[in-house]
Amino acid sequence: MTPETPSDEIRHRFESGVSWITLNRPDAMNALTWEQRERVIALLADASADPATRAVVLTATGKGFCAGADLRGAPATAADRVVGDVARMIRLGAQRLITAVLDCEKPVIAAVNGTAAGIGAHLALACDLVIAAEPARFIEVFVRRGLVPDGAGAYLLARLLGPHKAKELLFFGDAVPAAEAARLGLVNKVVPADDLEATARAWAERLAQGPTRALALTKQLVNASLDGDRATALAAEATAQELNMATADAQEGVAGFVERRTPKFLGR
C-alpha cells in the first residue's frame, strides 16, 4: 500500500491492484474545480495504461459526493462570450470527464457517500458499478438553474431509466434518495454509511482478481450495445472474444475449467 499523496483536493492511493480516487473539498461539497477535473481525468488515463491497476474506486470525503461543477472563475456574462464558447467549454470540460470514466479500460466503482448533484450525479452514474451510502441523494439540478443538462446527463439517464423516467428526473429536478435510486436501477447496492468503504473495497478487490482484459472488453461491449444495432453488437462481441482468447487470463481460465481448479488471473 502506498501513502496518500499530500495534495489534497484530489487524494490518490493504490492498494491491492486498486486505484482509489477521492474528491476532497468537503467544505464545498466536493464541487469540482478545473484543476480537480483534470487530475481525475489524468488518474483514469493512468489506470487504463498501468497493468498493475486492475480496478478503480471513485469516492469523496465529507457529506457530499460531488455538488457539481465549481463555476467560480468561469465566464460569467453573455456579453463576454461569442458563439461557440459554451459548447467548447462543455466538450473540453464536463464531457471529457464523463468520457474518461466511460472509456477507462478498468472497471470503475462509484462509492457515493452523500449528495451527487448535476455533473456530480453524472460522474457517479457513468461508473460501471455504483454503491451508495444510505444518506446519498442524486439530483438533476440543471432545471433549477434554467439550464439544459450537460455532462452526458440525458445520454446516461435515458439509457439507465428509459425516456419517460429520465424526463421526469430531468424536468423536475427532484432529489432521488439512495433507496429509490437502487429501486430504479441507478444504483447497484445501498449500504450504511459506515460500511461504504469496506463494501467498495471488497467489490474492487474482487474485480482486481478477475481477468482484467476480459472485463475491459466486456465493458466496451455493454457500453457500445446501447448505441448500435444488433448486427453491429454481435460483430463486436465476436471480435472482442477473438482478441480476448489471445490473453493469458483466457488461457488460464479455460485451463482451470478443464483441470477442475480455480483459475488465477494475472490481468494479462
Side-chain angles (χ1 to χ4, degrees):
M1 174 177 173
T2 57
E4 292 180 352
T5 57
S7 62
D8 325 4
E9 290 193 346
I10 296 292
R11 294 179 180 174
H12 179 245
R13 71 181 192 270
F14 179 82
E15 59 181 277
S16 303
V18 180
S19 174
W20 288 78
I21 302 171
T22 303
L23 310 183
N24 186 40
R25 291 182 72 216
D27 293 344
M29 294 287 283
N30 294 306
L32 276 172
T33 64
W34 182 92
E35 292 83 2
Q36 283 182 293
R37 183 192 71 217
E38 294 303 307
R39 177 67 172 150
V40 171
I41 290 170
L43 288 170
L44 289 166
D46 290 346
S48 286
D50 181 8
T53 300
R54 299 174 66 184
V56 177
V57 176
L58 183 59
T59 191
T61 59
K63 296 182 178 180
F65 175 74
C66 178
D70 187 334
L71 299 178
R72 290 175 295 182
T77 64
D80 295 332
R81 294 195 296 262
V82 298
V83 174
D85 283 352
V86 172
R88 187 182 312 105
M89 178 180 67
I90 291 169
R91 284 197 308 271
L92 298 179
Q95 290 178 354
R96 277 181 62 240
L97 176 64
I98 300 306
T99 299
V101 178
L102 293 170
D103 290 348
C104 182
E105 295 178 27
K106 308 299 165 63
V108 184
I109 297 173
V112 183
N113 53 302
T115 297
I119 189 65
H122 305 163
L123 180 61
L125 298 178
C127 293
D128 302 301
L129 299 168
V130 183
I131 305 169
E134 289 173 348
R137 303 182 304 159
F138 298 82
I139 312 173
E140 289 296 329
V141 297
F142 296 92
V143 69
R144 301 183 184 184
R145 299 169 183 165
L147 299 175
V148 170
D150 60 39
Y155 176 90
L156 291 167
L157 284 173
R159 284 157 177 75
L160 290 166
L161 298 174
H164 286 162
K165 195 65 182 181
K167 289 171 188 174
E168 179 185 334
L169 299 189
L170 293 166
F171 287 0
F172 294 116
D174 293 334
V176 180
E180 175 68 4
R183 188 188 70 79
L184 293 172
L186 294 174
V187 166
N188 295 90
K189 190 178 184 68
V190 178
V191 298
D194 291 345
D195 295 340
L196 181 65
E197 182 172 341
T199 304
R201 176 177 289 106
W203 279 26
E205 291 182 359
R206 184 177 174 186
L207 290 170
Q209 295 302 312
T212 307
R213 298 314 306 164
L215 292 177
L217 290 165
T218 301
K219 172 176 178 171
Q220 292 172 13
L221 284 175
V222 173
N223 288 351
S225 73
L226 299 171
D227 299 319
D229 57 62
R230 181 178 64 185
T232 301
L234 296 184
E237 175 186 89
T239 299
Q241 193 68 288
E242 175 76 27
L243 294 171
N244 185 64
M245 287 304 295
T247 67
D249 279 349
Q251 295 170 40
E252 167 66 5
V254 172
F257 174 76
V258 171
E259 297 166 12
R260 298 185 178 182
R261 60 174 174 80
T262 301
K264 184 176 181 180
F265 297 121
L266 301 177
R268 299 178 181 274

